[in-house]
Amino acid sequence: MNFESNRLFVPFVLAGALLPASAQETAEMTTIELRVVDSSAGRATLDRGRVDGLREGDRVVLRPRDGLPIEGRVIELSERSARLEFDDAARVAAPGTRGEASIPRERIGAPSLPADPAGAASAPEPAPVAHPAWPTPDQDWRQGMPLLNEVPALRPSQRTAAFDGRWYLISEHLVDLGGERSFGFDRAGLDLTWRNAFGHGGELHAAGEYDWRNSVVPDADDQHEAGLRFDRLSYLIGGDRFQPERLEFGRFLQHGMPEFGVLDGLEWSGRVTGGSTYGVSLGYMPEPDFRQESFRDFQLATWYRWVADESARTSFQAGFQKTFRDFTRDRDLFVVRYDLAPQRGWDLHGSAWIDLYTPHDAQKGAGLELTQGNLSIARRFEGGSTLLLGATHVAFPEMDRWEFPTVDATQLANSHVERVMLRARQSTDHHFWLREELGAWTDQDDQGGDAEAGLEMDHVLFDGGRARIAGFVTQGSTSTLWGGRFAIGRQLENGSWELGYELEQYDLTGFSAANDQIPQHRVRLSRDFHSASGWSFSAHAEWLHYAEEDAISAGIYLSRSF
Amino acid sequence: MSAMTSRSKGSLLLAVLLLWLGACAIRGSESVPRHLWWSGLGPVLPHDSFPADCSLCHVANEWQTLKPEFEYDHEKEAGYALEGAHARAQCLRCHNDRGPAGSFAVLGCAGCHADVHRGGLGPDCTRCHQQASWEPVGMVELHQHTRFPLSGVHAVAACWRCHPGAEVGKFVPADPECVSCHRSDLALATNPNHLGLGWVDHCGRCHVPSTWQQAEVH
């Protein structure tokens, strides 16, 4: 027999061999169709359950419209649904995907609950129970409609008005034991959202803080300042899945492009099919400081954010902001941002602030300058290990608005700092972690770097115990230091505690040999408490000893979410 | 401490008013435990993609009450573990009218939390914040990875002494030159008169940055 005749012969042989089995399957097995109603990577929930004849362990084949079939095994069952685990954990089946399962014909019409061999023979047949009268009339139901109506989501304007938010108290104080200096602050704040505040589905946001701070130093005036600051007092309409347009006015942090800062004004944005968004804003910019005084800096801004698809895992955004200080032109700022967050692989986030200078800007001269940039590339590996690469750049922009520490002309012209860093964390068994960090920086005068390596151990010493140990070395602009730290703690059901010690040895740059070595010791004790009802409490105390001085500090943080 | 000004008194009254409003809001929400529904909300989410078996979540004959034993293993079901305060949050904090939570989760923390740092500190919030509470920790350790490790008094100074916008989340790298933060101290140094003598830089020739003392002459 030649090769060609072999090719013709083989299918007949295979068909003959498989025919008896197929016939047997047809006689004893049947196929039920099913559909995916919910899914995640490697798993799916099906619209068929025990009453439909499915059992744990049954094989199921899903047939996506595009791509290869997905095979899996039923791992959980309820009366009318089933959980399916895919053979390939990386596959994802979209809701609505059709499929089928081949099950023994005898299951059809069989009792849906697992048989009880001991009690099945003796248990009496339960008497049928009459269903109570349906309390709800048929309303608009007509023949042919499903008996169970769809469950439409209520629109925000149809819901009862409600509050949520949190309040907090923060207190932090420090004294030196020589009694000459002290710093401290106390803050009481509230962040409140009033949903459907006026019956139109909008949200009223209010966030503010009462802030008291003091600074006592020798040979200078003490500072005692107190004030109430509103970070947000705004009304927001839309911007949800019912309404693609969004309008917010009042005082608020700009939503579309937070890089443009807090605004006393209004922001409007829209969403187009596919998920891309765009927006404009105008208003006054409060100064970003303790008091946030406003009505000197006016701004106009616009932005556009492109997303590759509805998942928004790839996006690019660009915006432009023009500001005026006391009605005089001030800053022209471009901000661009790129975000890439694939399901698996490397995340990439980058942003850049680019100032456009005109002849009006006497210090910098006309042109473009990158005044701030951030780049971050990160990866989370199987098992929880992580790797992060980062780079930053900062320079002072020329602007009349007060937004940065006071700088002189030389600093404005020359100051810049760049930093690159690598941070990694590896684990082999989720209880023992290795941690490394490397960094390097350069500025207009100097350059340096840092390195740190450490171990983190969970479930050591006692139940829930954890320990951290690390060593580090840093080359700074005014000092070189090396040191180490050690901490033990315990994770409790409602919080944690930790006790740590750190030794740093400073070698100060530019000092005589007799004064340039300064050891520094820190001991810190902290306790956190959290409750399911929204309470959160943290307290810490720290003792610092350096050269011949001692200082102690203590603080609390209390908040309640509601 | 100096006498409280009338402005401070007014501010304090407003703060008390705010806290009182907050207390009222808390009292009003006590009846909304995390895993039970609240009839006032109605069905916020469409159920189109939910399993057909309503009894997985709901009490029979009472749709607006979720089963007391209802629990949802977020990591197992959604492949995304909820850590710290997120594990205690109400479901609707993330799953709400904004749309699919997944499209916000890909943005990281900024997908749900307003970035009060205005994008200036990058996307890695856990560098300073922990998920159990939003209180920042480890600032001394953080500065060991900068060009200005916090030696001596700097390790215990309030953040706003060097970063004037700290209270509102605006952190800008401070210039490490002493005068950048100690400009007012320089102006006040009259014995001897630093400005008059032209002593405006190289502070380390006389001052040690690790002591409370004003100067140590070497």
Side-chain angles (χ1 to χ4, degrees):
Chain A
M1 189 177 288
N2 62 23
F3 177 73
E4 189 64 26
S5 58
N6 265 336
R7 283 180 55 189
L8 294 171
F9 181 69
V10 168
F12 287 102
V13 173
L14 287 175
L18 294 173
L19 187 58
S22 301
Q24 187 180 11
E25 183 175 322
T26 304
E28 298 180 1
M29 306 290 283
T30 187
T31 299
I32 59 170
E33 293 186 348
L34 40 82
R35 199 180 271 217
V36 172
V37 292
D38 191 21
S39 69
S40 59
R43 294 192 171 195
T45 301
L46 307 175
D47 65 347
R48 301 284 187 160
R50 197 184 302 278
V51 295
D52 303 298
L54 280 179
R55 297 291 183 270
E56 289 184 5
D58 282 351
R59 301 289 300 172
V60 174
V61 180
L62 302 177
R63 303 192 184 283
R65 287 185 176 178
D66 48 351
L68 297 171
I70 304 173
E71 294 190 35
R73 182 176 59 87
V74 174
I75 57 170
E76 282 180 39
L77 272 177
S78 67
E79 288 296 295
R80 297 183 188 279
S81 67
R83 292 282 288 154
L84 183 67
E85 185 176 72
F86 300 159
D87 295 342
D88 181 354
R91 299 293 300 274
V92 179
T97 302
R98 293 174 184 276
E100 72 266 350
S102 183
I103 63 170
R105 187 177 296 278
E106 64 193 19
R107 288 189 199 163
I108 303 299
S112 60
L113 292 174
D116 178 5
S122 57
E125 191 74 19
V129 178
H131 193 285
W134 295 102
T136 307
D138 287 345
Q139 294 178 341
D140 297 329
W141 186 85
R142 295 183 303 278
Q143 195 68 32
M145 292 176 67
L147 288 174
L148 287 176
N149 204 352
E150 293 179 0
V151 183
L154 289 185
R155 289 176 178 266
S157 59
Q158 296 173 304
R159 298 185 200 131
T160 309
F163 289 99
D164 62 55
R166 72 176 183 125
W167 59 260
Y168 59 89
L169 299 168
I170 308 173
S171 181
E172 180 90 34
H173 290 269
L174 175 143
V175 293
D176 78 300
L177 298 183
E180 292 185 333
R181 293 189 183 218
S182 67
F183 299 107
F185 64 81
D186 299 296
R187 296 174 187 161
L190 176 69
D191 187 345
L192 191 65
T193 300
W194 184 5
R195 301 187 189 282
N196 193 20
F198 306 112
H200 302 293
E203 295 176 0
L204 185 66
H205 293 267
E209 188 176 274
Y210 181 76
D211 203 338
W212 177 87
R213 67 186 192 184
N214 82 312
S215 172
V216 177
V217 293
D219 301 332
D221 292 335
D222 298 343
Q223 288 182 313
H224 301 284
E225 295 178 277
L228 180 69
R229 188 185 72 244
F230 277 103
D231 295 321
R232 189 173 188 182
L233 184 60
S234 68
Y235 188 66
L236 165 64
I237 311 167
D240 52 34
R241 58 200 162 97
F242 303 109
Q243 201 170 339
E245 294 183 349
R246 181 184 189 280
L247 175 66
E248 184 166 11
F249 56 89
R251 170 172 289 190
F252 56 93
L253 176 64
Q254 298 200 45
H255 176 78
M257 203 141 213
E259 288 85 349
F260 291 156
V262 177
L263 196 64
D264 286 331
L266 63 89
E267 179 186 24
W268 177 88
S269 61
R271 186 176 68 237
V272 298
T273 306
S276 296
T277 50
Y278 56 94
V280 295
S281 66
L282 65 90
Y284 283 93
M285 305 167 68
E287 292 188 338
D289 63 2
F290 178 69
R291 298 200 180 280
Q292 288 205 139
E293 291 177 348
S294 188
F295 303 110
R296 290 196 67 185
D297 299 289
F298 186 79
Q299 71 100 52
L300 295 164
T302 183
W303 53 267
Y304 181 82
R305 179 171 181 247
W306 169 85
V307 297
D309 53 40
E310 290 278 2
S311 73
R313 290 188 173 276
T314 302
S315 69
F316 175 80
Q317 185 167 8
F320 175 70
Q321 182 186 47
K322 188 170 186 63
T323 63
F324 302 84
R325 176 79 163 175
D326 297 330
F327 303 106
T328 305
R329 57 177 303 171
D330 188 10
R331 188 181 192 188
D332 295 326
L333 173 66
F334 291 99
V335 176
V336 293
R337 196 166 72 197
Y338 180 74
D339 295 287
L340 175 66
Q343 191 104 28
R344 289 168 181 270
W346 295 85
D347 285 1
L348 189 153
H349 302 279
S351 54
W353 284 248
I354 301 165
D355 276 80
L356 170 65
Y357 298 122
T358 64
H360 166 78
D361 301 295
Q363 301 286 336
K364 298 272 188 176
L368 295 169
E369 183 187 20
L370 176 67
T371 47
Q372 187 168 354
N374 295 318
L375 179 65
S376 159
I377 304 171
R379 175 84 190 258
R380 177 180 285 273
F381 298 93
E382 292 289 336
S385 297
T386 55
L387 178 64
L388 174 69
L389 301 163
T392 60
H393 161 82
V394 178
F396 292 117
E398 181 175 355
M399 56 196 293
D400 297 326
R401 167 180 163 78
W402 186 92
E403 192 157 309
F404 297 91
T406 305
V407 292
D408 57 33
T410 305
Q411 287 176 306
L412 181 64
N414 300 327
S415 285
H416 63 88
V417 58
E418 289 81 34
R419 177 173 162 75
V420 293
M421 56 85 71
L422 178 152
R423 201 159 71 236
R425 196 165 180 258
Q426 308 94 36
S427 170
T428 52
D429 59 0
H430 291 280
H431 301 312
F432 186 84
W433 298 84
L434 291 171
R435 196 169 56 77
E436 307 88 26
E437 181 161 352
L438 289 171
W441 60 267
T442 180
D443 65 13
Q444 68 281 0
D445 297 320
D446 211 344
Q447 57 189 21
D450 55 86
E452 179 172 330
L455 300 176
E456 294 174 358
M457 293 158 279
D458 293 333
H459 308 295
V460 293
L461 302 175
F462 33 73
D463 182 33
R466 60 188 183 191
R468 295 186 290 133
I469 186 168
F472 53 86
V473 58
T474 302
Q475 171 68 58
S477 63
T478 58
S479 61
T480 300
L481 80 118
W482 60 264
R485 70 178 80 93
F486 174 74
I488 57 170
R490 187 173 189 180
Q491 189 67 43
L492 305 169
E493 193 168 333
N494 60 358
S496 63
W497 62 262
E498 186 173 85
L499 174 64
Y501 166 75
E502 181 177 272
L503 166 67
E504 297 165 80
Q505 178 66 41
Y506 282 87
D507 183 357
L508 302 175
T509 306
F511 284 79
S512 65
N515 294 285
D516 64 351
Q517 299 286 324
I518 295 179
Q520 186 164 300
H521 306 264
R522 284 200 308 137
V523 176
R524 180 184 168 94
L525 176 64
S526 63
R527 174 74 168 95
D528 296 324
F529 169 83
H530 313 289
S531 79
S533 57
W535 286 99
S536 180
F537 176 75
S538 302
H540 68 265
E542 190 169 309
W543 169 74
L544 179 73
H545 175 81
Y546 50 92
E548 297 174 356
E549 306 284 338
D550 289 280
I552 56 172
S553 66
I556 62 164
Y557 177 95
L558 174 68
S559 76
R560 169 77 157 88
S561 298
F562 51 88
Chain B
M1 184 176 166
S2 59
M4 187 174 275
T5 63
S6 59
R7 177 175 179 167
S8 298
K9 286 179 182 173
S11 300
L12 186 59
L13 279 174
L14 278 171
V16 171
L17 178 64
L18 272 177
L19 286 175
W20 176 76
L21 282 171
C24 292
I26 293 164
R27 192 174 54 190
S29 64
E30 283 290 354
S31 59
V32 193
R34 177 179 167 234
H35 268 156
L36 295 182
W37 207 256
W38 180 33
S39 60
L41 288 175
V44 174
L45 297 173
H47 286 44
D48 314 2
S49 61
F50 284 18
D53 186 356
C54 310
S55 65
L56 286 172
C57 306
H58 293 272
V59 171
N61 300 331
E62 199 176 349
W63 68 267
Q64 65 190 24
T65 305
L66 295 185
K67 292 162 72 172
E69 69 274 18
F70 173 73
E71 285 290 343
Y72 186 81
D73 187 335
H74 208 276
E75 183 173 18
K76 179 183 172 188
E77 302 292 341
Y80 188 86
L82 297 180
E83 297 175 3
H86 302 107
R88 303 188 298 271
Q90 288 190 328
C91 310
L92 293 178
R93 299 288 286 187
C94 303
H95 300 276
N96 50 40
D97 295 324
R98 297 185 312 159
S103 63
F104 298 97
V106 298
L107 298 174
C109 307
C112 295
H113 299 275
D115 182 2
V116 298
H117 306 300
R118 299 140 168 87
L121 300 184
D124 186 16
C125 309
T126 56
R127 185 71 170 146
C128 304
H129 296 279
Q130 46 186 340
Q131 295 199 56
S133 81
W134 208 236
E135 182 190 21
V137 293
M139 293 302 103
V140 174
E141 290 88 340
L142 183 74
H143 279 79
Q144 287 161 0
H145 298 286
T146 70
R147 55 183 171 157
F148 195 76
L150 299 177
S151 61
V153 295
H154 303 104
V156 287
C159 306
W160 46 268
R161 297 284 295 181
C162 305
H163 302 284
E167 279 98 345
V168 293
K170 180 78 175 178
F171 286 93
V172 176
D175 194 293
E177 287 297 321
C178 305
V179 71
S180 296
C181 293
H182 295 281
R183 197 178 297 273
S184 59
D185 296 324
L186 177 66
L188 290 168
T190 54
N191 185 22
N193 186 334
H194 285 43
L195 287 175
L197 294 168
W199 297 351
V200 294
D201 52 15
H202 298 99
C203 309
R205 290 165 60 188
C206 302
H207 294 269
V208 179
S210 61
T211 176
W212 296 127
Q213 304 303 320
Q214 289 299 288
E216 286 187 356
V217 179
H218 313 309

